[in-house]
Amino acid sequence: MVVNITILETSDVHGNVLPINYGDNSKSDVGLAKLASLIKEERKKHENVLVIDNGDLVQGTPLTYHYVKKLQNTENPMVRVLNHLKFDAAVVGNHEFNYGMNILKNAVKDSDFPWLSANILSETGDPFLGKPYIIKTFETVKIAVLGVTTHYIPNWENPTHVEGLTFEDALESTKKWVKHLKDTEEPDLIVVSYHGGFERNLVDGSPTETLTSENQGYEICKSVKGIDVLLTGHQHRSIAEMTVNGVLVLQPGVNGETLGKATIQLEKKNNKWEVVSKQGSLLSTKYSRVDADVAELIKEYEQSTQTWLDQPIGNIKGNMAVNSPFEVRLKDNELIEFINKVQMEVSNTTISNTALFHNSSPGFPTNVTMRDIVSNYIYPNTLKVIRISGQDIKDALERSASYFLLDVDGSIKVNPSFTIPKPQHYNYDMWEGINYTIDIRKPIGERVVKLERDCERLDLKEEYDVVMNNYRAGGGGDYIMYQNKQVVKDIPLDMSELIANYIMEKGTIEATVNHNWKVIWNEQQA
C-alpha cells in the first residue's frame, strides 16, 4: 500500500495579498491572492494536502500597517485570507511581534488554525501560544508538524513587545520536542517548520555565518534524528530539491513569490509506514491568476489603505529623489540627512544613524503623501537613544565600511556578504553629527581614516548619546558593539509616523546636505 502526502509551504509573505507594489501600484508577481490559485489547484490534484505558513505573515506592507493603525478592532486581513484557504497551521515569525503583543494575540484569536512555536515560552515555561505541534492523519499515515522560531528575536525586537517571554535555543528545543514526538506520538512522518534559515552552505557545509546563532537549519538537519522534512524561511531564499543529511529542506522566497511544495511517498512494509521518496519544488506565482475570492475578502481593507496612502502630507523644496541607491551610500545626500535630522530632533540628540533600507526606495517627490513615506521607510521601527563609546562608533563605522569591495579593475562594488543569502542593504548605516571618511582601499576593519566631532578627533574613550532604530540598537545586523548598552531614551512611535508628523508640522521641508561624510576608493575621490 502506498500513500502520497503533499505539503505546501508559504513563508515570509510579509503582508502581501494583492500582486502590487504599493509605492506606485504597479503590478508585481507576489501575494496570497496568487498563491491562493496555486493552493487550490494543488488541492484539486492531490488528496492528502497539508498547508503551513512558516512565519512573518502579519507585517510588511501598507495594508498591514494601515490595519494596525486604523482598523485593528476588525479581523486581521492576513488571517482572514488564511482562514479562507483553510491553512492547517502557522508558525510564529520574528516580524509577528513588530506591532506588539496585542496584535499578535488578536491574530491568533481570529485564526481557525493553530499558531505554533515550541521554543517561545511564557512565564510558566510552557509554549506561549499553547501549541508546539499538530498531528494530522491521512489514510492512517500520522504526521507531526513541529513549529520552531529563531530565538534571536530579543536582539531585535522592542522589549515591550516580548515582555515575559523566554526564547529557548531553537536547536535544543527541536531536539527535545522531536524526541517527545517519537516517544509519545509515534508519528510516521515528522515535519519541522522552522522560522529560521541556514548557517552553512547546503552543499559543502562551510560556514556562512559566524557571529550569531540566528539561523540553525543546517545543524538541525545534522544533529536531530528523525526529521523527514524541514520547512524554513527568514532568509528569503529560494531552496528546493535539496536534502541535508537525508532531510528534505524547503524555503519559498519572500512576499509570496513562490509556493513551497514537498511530495512525500510512504509505503507500508511489515505493518509500518516507511518514507520511500521525498521531492521538493517551488511553484511560481508568475503565471498564476489572482483568486477572485481572496481579492474580495480584503476589498474594504485595500480601498481604505489606498485612500490613506494618497493622503497629502507636505512639500519638499529641492531634491530628495533616489536615482541610484548605490550612489546614496557613497556620499552624504539629502534624503538620508533628512531622516537623521528627524531622528535627532524628536530625540533631542545630536548624533544619529540610519540606512537606505532597500534598493527600490524612490526618495521623496516634491509633493509628499503617506505612500511616499511608507515606500521609503518600510519597517515599523521605533527609535532608541543609547549611550556608546567613541570606540563603539568607530567599530560600527567599520562594520558599515565592509559593505564595499574593490573590484579587480579598481571599481567599487557591494560585498556579497550584504547580498547573499539575501539582500541586507539595510545593514549599511550613514551618520549625522560626526564627520568621517571611509577609504575602501584599506583592509576591512581599518577603513575609517577620518572620524571627528566638532572639528576635533573623536575621543574613542568618551561616551556619546546616539539615536538609531530599535533593530540596530539591539545589535541587529551584526552590530554587536551596541548590545546591552544603556538605553537613555525610548521613543515608541513608528518612524513612518514620526516622519509624517514632522513634515505635516513644517509644511515645507528644504532639502539640505552638509557633506559630513564620504567614501573614497581612488585618488580622484581622495
Side-chain angles (χ1 to χ4, degrees):
M1 182 179 179
V2 173
V3 170
N4 293 306
I5 306 293
T6 301
I7 302 170
L8 303 179
E9 179 199 7
T10 60
S11 190
D12 300 273
V13 173
H14 284 292
N16 286 277
V17 179
L18 297 181
I20 59 173
N21 180 332
Y22 280 96
D24 57 7
N25 280 341
S26 58
K27 291 183 179 180
S28 182
D29 293 317
V30 299
L32 283 172
K34 289 195 132 198
L35 286 172
S37 294
L38 295 175
I39 291 170
K40 289 180 179 181
E41 286 171 13
E42 289 298 311
R43 282 201 170 116
K44 288 179 182 177
K45 294 177 185 175
H46 309 290
E47 290 185 8
N48 307 314
V49 179
L50 188 65
V51 188
I52 307 292
D53 182 79
N54 190 59
D56 283 3
L57 172 74
V58 304
Q59 175 277 334
T61 60
L63 174 72
T64 55
Y65 183 82
H66 178 257
Y67 163 75
V68 168
K69 294 300 177 183
K70 304 293 184 181
L71 302 171
Q72 65 173 273
N73 291 327
T74 64
E75 184 182 14
N76 190 299
M78 305 306 293
V79 169
R80 172 176 281 194
V81 174
L82 264 61
N83 284 343
H84 167 74
L85 294 173
K86 300 187 186 318
F87 269 61
D88 292 285
V91 175
V92 179
N94 52 296
H95 283 285
E96 258 65 68
F97 293 98
N98 285 174
Y99 295 139
M101 188 62 75
N102 284 341
I103 295 298
L104 173 54
K105 287 188 174 180
N106 285 339
V108 173
K109 184 185 68 174
D110 291 342
S111 300
D112 296 336
F113 51 87
W115 287 74
L116 312 177
S117 189
N119 66 312
I120 304 179
L121 310 180
S122 67
E123 292 173 330
T124 63
D126 300 313
F128 90 112
L129 293 178
K131 278 274 191 179
Y133 64 86
I134 60 168
I135 300 292
K136 300 286 288 189
T137 302
F138 295 111
E139 300 184 49
T140 76
V141 174
K142 189 176 183 181
I143 305 169
V145 181
L146 174 69
V148 190
T149 307
T150 176
H151 58 261
Y152 218 65
I153 292 171
N155 292 284
W156 313 310
E157 190 53 69
N158 186 327
T160 61
H161 292 176
V162 294
E163 190 174 359
L165 299 181
T166 299
F167 292 80
E168 191 173 68
D169 182 273
L171 172 62
E172 296 305 316
S173 186
T174 302
K175 287 179 181 178
K176 177 178 68 179
W177 281 101
V178 167
K179 183 179 185 303
H180 171 84
L181 287 170
K182 290 193 291 187
D183 291 346
T184 63
E185 300 286 358
E186 298 182 349
D188 303 301
L189 189 73
I190 295 180
V191 178
V192 174
S193 190
Y194 168 48
H195 189 81
F198 297 96
E199 73 283 24
R200 291 180 178 272
N201 184 294
L202 295 182
V203 177
D204 61 18
S206 59
T208 55
E209 296 183 3
T210 56
L211 294 178
T212 74
S213 58
E214 176 182 345
N215 299 295
Q216 299 175 299
Y218 190 89
E219 190 58 35
I220 287 173
C221 291
K222 283 290 188 179
S223 62
V224 185
K225 295 181 179 180
I227 300 174
D228 297 290
V229 180
L230 180 67
L231 308 178
T232 65
H234 187 55
Q235 291 175 317
H236 300 178
R237 298 169 66 181
S238 296
I239 300 173
E241 301 179 2
M242 290 289 296
T243 58
V244 177
N245 197 31
V247 180
L248 178 66
V249 298
L250 279 179
Q251 193 169 141
V254 64
N255 297 336
E257 295 171 335
T258 57
L259 179 68
K261 177 181 177 182
T263 302
I264 319 296
Q265 188 174 83
L266 299 96
E267 186 176 344
K268 204 157 197 179
K269 299 178 180 179
N270 299 321
N271 208 34
K272 183 179 179 182
W273 289 108
E274 292 184 15
V275 176
V276 293
S277 71
K278 294 184 284 189
Q279 291 183 321
S281 60
L282 298 178
L283 309 180
S284 174
T285 58
K286 187 171 184 179
Y287 301 109
S288 67
R289 60 180 176 79
V290 172
D291 184 88
D293 293 337
V294 168
E296 184 65 28
L297 279 174
I298 65 150
K299 183 177 179 180
E300 291 184 9
Y301 296 92
E302 180 66 21
Q303 288 175 340
S304 183
T305 299
Q306 292 291 345
T307 300
W308 172 73
L309 285 172
D310 289 330
Q311 173 188 338
I313 299 297
N315 304 293
I316 303 296
K317 182 181 179 182
N319 183 14
M320 281 196 196
V322 174
N323 297 315
S324 166
F326 192 72
E327 291 291 329
V328 166
R329 299 183 179 101
L330 289 177
K331 61 182 179 180
D332 195 14
N333 64 89
E334 292 84 352
L335 176 66
I336 298 301
E337 184 164 302
F338 167 69
I339 295 174
N340 273 320
K341 279 183 177 179
V342 173
Q343 293 187 171
M344 290 189 292
E345 184 162 320
V346 300
S347 65
N348 194 28
T349 308
T350 57
I351 304 177
S352 172
N353 66 51
T354 190
L356 184 70
F357 291 106
H358 61 119
N359 279 354
S360 55
S361 179
F364 290 148
T366 300
N367 301 307
V368 181
T369 65
M370 278 303 302
R371 189 183 303 278
D372 301 310
I373 292 173
V374 299
S375 295
N376 286 281
Y377 210 106
I378 60 174
Y379 298 110
N381 290 333
T382 58
L383 294 180
K384 287 185 185 293
V385 178
I386 60 173
R387 186 159 292 162
I388 59 177
S389 69
Q391 184 65 55
D392 293 327
I393 292 175
K394 183 178 185 301
D395 292 343
L397 287 169
E398 293 288 2
R399 161 66 180 148
S400 284
S402 69
Y403 179 82
F404 299 107
L405 292 179
L406 281 181
D407 213 337
V408 290
D409 62 358
S411 62
I412 192 169
K413 64 179 183 179
V414 178
N415 189 332
S417 68
F418 283 80
T419 59
I420 300 171
K422 71 173 182 177
Q424 299 176 54
H425 303 292
Y426 52 80
N427 283 330
Y428 174 79
D429 289 338
M430 294 157 278
W431 292 63
E432 196 66 33
I434 57 175
N435 293 278
Y436 63 95
T437 300
I438 293 170
D439 189 342
I440 303 307
R441 297 169 297 181
K442 304 285 187 181
I444 288 177
E446 303 174 19
R447 291 177 165 180
V448 179
V449 296
K450 173 185 174 183
L451 180 53
E452 295 179 347
R453 167 85 166 154
D454 298 328
C455 299
E456 295 184 359
R457 182 177 294 181
L458 190 79
D459 187 342
L460 299 185
K461 295 182 179 178
E462 185 63 59
E463 290 191 324
Y464 303 90
D465 291 350
V466 180
V467 60
M468 63 189 75
N469 68 64
N470 62 295
Y471 171 76
R472 188 68 80 238
D478 291 342
Y479 284 82
I480 57 175
M481 69 291 299
Y482 298 148
Q483 289 180 349
N484 303 315
K485 297 295 175 152
Q486 179 185 350
V487 178
V488 178
K489 190 178 297 184
D490 191 345
I491 300 162
L493 281 179
D494 290 349
M495 262 304 288
S496 54
E497 258 187 89
L498 292 172
I499 293 171
N501 292 342
Y502 185 94
I503 295 175
M504 283 191 286
E505 182 182 333
K506 305 288 185 184
T508 298
I509 303 296
E510 185 171 353
T512 62
V513 60
N514 60 13
H515 303 292
N516 67 299
W517 65 272
K518 65 179 180 179
V519 177
I520 59 177
W521 64 96
N522 58 36
E523 292 302 324
Q524 282 77 20
Q525 281 80 37

